């Protein structure tokens, strides 16, 4: 029952998290996780009720249209666990540095190019 007074305790669960994710692709990642959590929550509910079944079906459809956020979260967690004081890890990281920087530059150039195209189209 979502009308009980304890629902307000501690503030929002998901909507507060969404504020930290500003880019469209970032939002899609966090939303894929949130939708998965709703589906997990609805797994054990009574699907004979039409509105519950429709919500579950709609969430499942949305989940299929979103990227696999769980894989991306796992990648981030794996990066956070890397022992950066390990000499082998440091050597491998230095070996990959040029490729990482090149990818970053390409990503930034692509974003700038898209911004310029949007600006040129608008003749307000």
């Amino acid at each position: 029952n979502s009308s009980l007074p304890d629902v307000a305790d501690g503030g929002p669960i998901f909507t507060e998290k969404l504020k930290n994710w500003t880019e469209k692709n970032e939002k899609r990642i966090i939303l894929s996780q949130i939708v998965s959590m709703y589906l997990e929550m609805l797994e054990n509910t009574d699907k004979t009720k039409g509105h519950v079944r429709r919500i579950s079906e709609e969430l499942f459809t949305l989940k299929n249209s979103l990227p696999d956020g769980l894989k991306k979260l796992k990648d981030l967690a794996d990066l956070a666990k890397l022992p950066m004081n390990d000499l082998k890890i440091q050597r491998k990281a230095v070996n990959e540095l040029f490729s990482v920087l090149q990818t970053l530059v390409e990503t930034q150039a692509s974003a700038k190019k898209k911004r310029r195209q949007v600006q040129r189209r608008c003749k307000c």
Side-chain angles (χ1 to χ4, degrees):
N1 189 348
S2 64
S3 61
L4 293 175
D6 67 343
V7 170
D9 292 348
I13 298 171
F14 297 130
T15 53
E16 193 64 32
K17 303 282 187 246
L18 283 170
K19 291 177 185 176
N20 297 328
W21 298 67
T22 56
E23 298 293 323
K24 180 181 175 184
N25 290 335
E26 288 179 346
K27 269 197 192 292
R28 290 175 56 83
I29 292 168
I30 192 75
L31 283 168
S32 74
Q33 290 308 295
I34 291 171
V35 167
S36 294
M37 295 175 93
Y38 277 116
L39 284 169
E40 184 180 330
M41 182 178 73
L42 292 170
E43 239 173 51
N44 300 321
T45 58
D46 184 4
K47 299 274 187 350
T48 61
K49 295 179 181 178
H51 66 286
V52 174
R53 188 176 59 254
R54 282 191 297 278
I55 290 171
S56 294
E57 289 169 358
E58 189 64 32
L59 285 170
F60 187 76
T61 302
L62 285 169
K63 183 180 181 339
N64 288 336
S65 72
L66 293 168
D68 183 11
L70 193 57
K71 167 94 173 81
K72 290 175 174 57
L73 287 175
K74 184 184 177 312
D75 289 346
L76 288 172
D78 290 346
L79 284 173
K81 291 178 192 171
L82 283 175
M84 293 313 292
N85 57 351
D86 181 311
L87 290 177
K88 182 178 178 183
I89 297 289
Q90 290 176 359
R91 286 193 301 272
K92 290 175 93 169
V94 168
N95 190 39
E96 298 174 15
L97 179 60
F98 181 74
S99 296
V100 170
L101 291 176
Q102 191 172 17
T103 303
L104 180 61
V105 168
E106 289 168 1
T107 304
Q108 288 177 330
S110 173
K112 285 180 183 177
K113 183 178 178 181
K114 286 180 185 175
R115 278 195 301 266
R116 274 184 268 151
Q117 287 174 346
V118 169
Q119 290 171 350
R120 276 190 227 147
R121 282 189 216 138
C122 181
K123 303 214 174 177
C124 304

